[in-house]
């Protein structure tokens, strides 16, 4: 049997050679603490020791479980009722910047203008109202009528033409009828020498494009590029890399693959360009 001492302060069993209790550092006060051969630490029933510790461990576990339950329930209430808004996950800025159009409508399918210079504004409705897709206006024959990007149509000459309104993947049309008679033609002036290449004709507005730098964030995203000015000739459209972006004869641009390309429009001797950045894989 082992000779052991039981500490009179904390009840710890230790070897008398240590001189003091290893737990509380207490020294035995008298020889009554010396258990000698009357106490065998090795033969102490393990069931009795486990029985003595079980109630304390159970209470601690129950207390921890109760605290965790309280914290979890409180957090759920704060999150559900948005009492702490910073707990809500932030929405990525790119998602907020790309809200596609789902519906497009105009207030008139046909308009009649009865004199040169008369104008009227088309009203459009899109859904959702906060769409990030741009509304683009274009006219088939700019010699009959012109249209600005706020939808204002102005009569220029007798005839009929069509105004196209685009928003994202959706297109609406309005037929414009200029029902007045043409003024008596003025005598044709004598032909002037051809201007130098690259120099706009006198009195003609310089050729310009509706956007010089655009970005797409997903495949098939698109827009319509519109030209103003120039000599009135039909423009020729070209993409520097059709694996990145495509463009048709009307200026309709569509994203194809990731990368950067340049869309160029040429009218007569003038050219304008728009850089297209497809920022996706």
């Amino acid at each position: 049997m082992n000779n052991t001492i039981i500490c009179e302060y904390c009840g710890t069993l230790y070897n008398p050679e240590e001189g003091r209790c290893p737990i509380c550092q207490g020294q035995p006060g008298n020889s009554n603490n010396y258990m000698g051969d009357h106490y065998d630490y090795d033969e102490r029933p393990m069931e009795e020791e486990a029985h003595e510790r079980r109630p304390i461990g159970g209470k601690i576990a129950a207390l921890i479980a109760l605290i965790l339950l309280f914290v979890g329930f409180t957090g759920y209430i704060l999150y559900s009722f948005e009492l702490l808004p910073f707990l809500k996950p932030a929405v990525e800025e790119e998602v907020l910047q790309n809200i596609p159009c789902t519906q497009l409508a105009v207030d008139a399918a046909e308009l009649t203008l009865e004199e040169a210079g008369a104008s009227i504004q088309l009203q459009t409705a899109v859904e959702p109202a906060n769409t990030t897709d741009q509304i683009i206006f274009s006219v088939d024959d700019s010699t009959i009528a012109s249209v600005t990007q706020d939808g204002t149509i102005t009569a220029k000459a007798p005839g009929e033409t069509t105004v196209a309104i685009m928003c994202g993947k959706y297109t609406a049309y309005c037929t414009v009828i200029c029902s007045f008679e043409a003024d008596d033609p003025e005598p044709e002036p004598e032909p002037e020498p051809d201007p130098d290449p690259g120099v706009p004709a006198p009195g003609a507005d310089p050729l310009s494009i509706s956007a010089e730098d655009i970005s797409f964030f997903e495949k098939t995203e698109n827009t319509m590029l519109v030209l103003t000015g120039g000599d009135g000739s039909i423009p020729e459209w070209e993409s520097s890399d059709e694996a990145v972006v495509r463009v048709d004869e009307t200026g309709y641009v569509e994203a194809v693959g990731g990368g950067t390309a340049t869309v160029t429009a040429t009218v007569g001797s003038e050219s304008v360009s728009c850089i297209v950045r497809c920022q996706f894989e």
Side-chain angles (χ1 to χ4, degrees):
M1 295 180 131
N2 296 325
N3 295 330
T4 56
I5 292 179
I6 181 168
C7 179
E8 60 186 271
Y9 300 107
C10 65
T12 302
L13 297 174
Y14 64 94
N15 194 308
E17 294 179 357
E18 298 180 10
R20 60 179 65 216
C21 175
I23 302 300
C24 69
Q25 300 299 311
Q27 293 180 331
N30 54 64
S31 60
N32 292 333
N33 288 326
Y34 181 75
M35 300 303 296
D37 294 339
H38 300 289
Y39 192 87
D40 185 1
Y41 177 77
D42 294 336
E43 296 180 358
R44 183 181 181 189
M46 297 302 294
E47 294 81 1
E48 179 183 350
E49 181 179 357
H51 178 72
E52 291 175 357
R53 295 181 181 180
R54 188 179 299 115
I56 298 178
K59 290 179 180 179
I60 293 176
L63 180 60
I64 293 174
L66 184 61
I67 292 174
L68 292 176
L69 180 63
F70 175 77
V71 171
F73 179 75
T74 303
Y76 173 78
I77 294 298
L78 294 176
Y79 181 88
S80 299
F81 292 93
E82 298 185 4
L83 299 178
L84 295 177
F86 61 82
L87 292 177
K88 289 291 185 180
V91 180
E92 293 185 2
E93 184 179 358
E94 288 189 3
V95 175
L96 294 177
Q97 290 180 348
N98 184 23
I99 304 175
C101 175
T102 59
Q103 187 172 343
L104 169 67
V106 294
D107 62 343
E110 183 177 292
L111 293 175
T112 300
L113 299 173
E114 298 181 350
E115 60 181 15
S119 48
I120 190 170
Q121 186 175 18
L122 271 177
Q123 301 297 324
T124 60
V126 296
E127 290 186 6
N130 63 336
T131 178
T132 55
D133 288 336
Q134 185 180 5
I135 301 176
I136 303 295
F137 294 85
S138 62
V139 62
D140 283 350
D141 191 341
S142 59
T143 63
I144 295 176
S146 63
V147 62
T148 61
Q149 292 309 301
D150 65 354
T152 300
I153 302 171
T154 303
K156 299 175 69 176
E160 181 176 319
T161 186
T162 300
V163 170
I165 306 94
M166 294 191 64
C167 185
K169 300 179 181 179
Y170 296 85
T171 305
Y173 300 94
C174 176
T175 301
V176 179
I177 302 172
C178 296
S179 61
F180 50 89
E181 295 183 358
D183 296 334
D184 293 334
E186 297 180 358
E188 295 184 0
E190 294 182 1
E192 297 181 359
D194 292 336
D196 294 336
V199 178
D205 293 332
L207 184 65
S208 62
I209 195 168
S210 58
E212 296 182 352
D213 194 324
I214 58 177
S215 295
F216 292 141
F217 298 96
E218 61 180 14
K219 191 174 182 179
T220 72
E221 191 175 350
N222 56 75
T223 190
M224 174 74 78
L225 293 176
V226 179
L227 299 179
T228 55
D231 60 7
S233 302
I234 297 176
E236 295 182 2
W237 294 91
E238 182 181 6
S239 171
S240 65
D241 190 347
E242 293 194 350
V244 176
V245 64
R246 286 196 296 261
V247 61
D248 66 9
E249 66 275 6
T250 66
Y252 174 80
V253 180
E254 182 178 18
V256 177
T260 301
T262 301
V263 172
T264 303
T266 302
V267 178
S269 59
E270 294 184 84
S271 295
V272 289
S273 300
C274 174
I275 298 174
V276 182
R277 309 174 194 273
C278 296
Q279 301 179 10
F280 55 87
E281 296 297 331

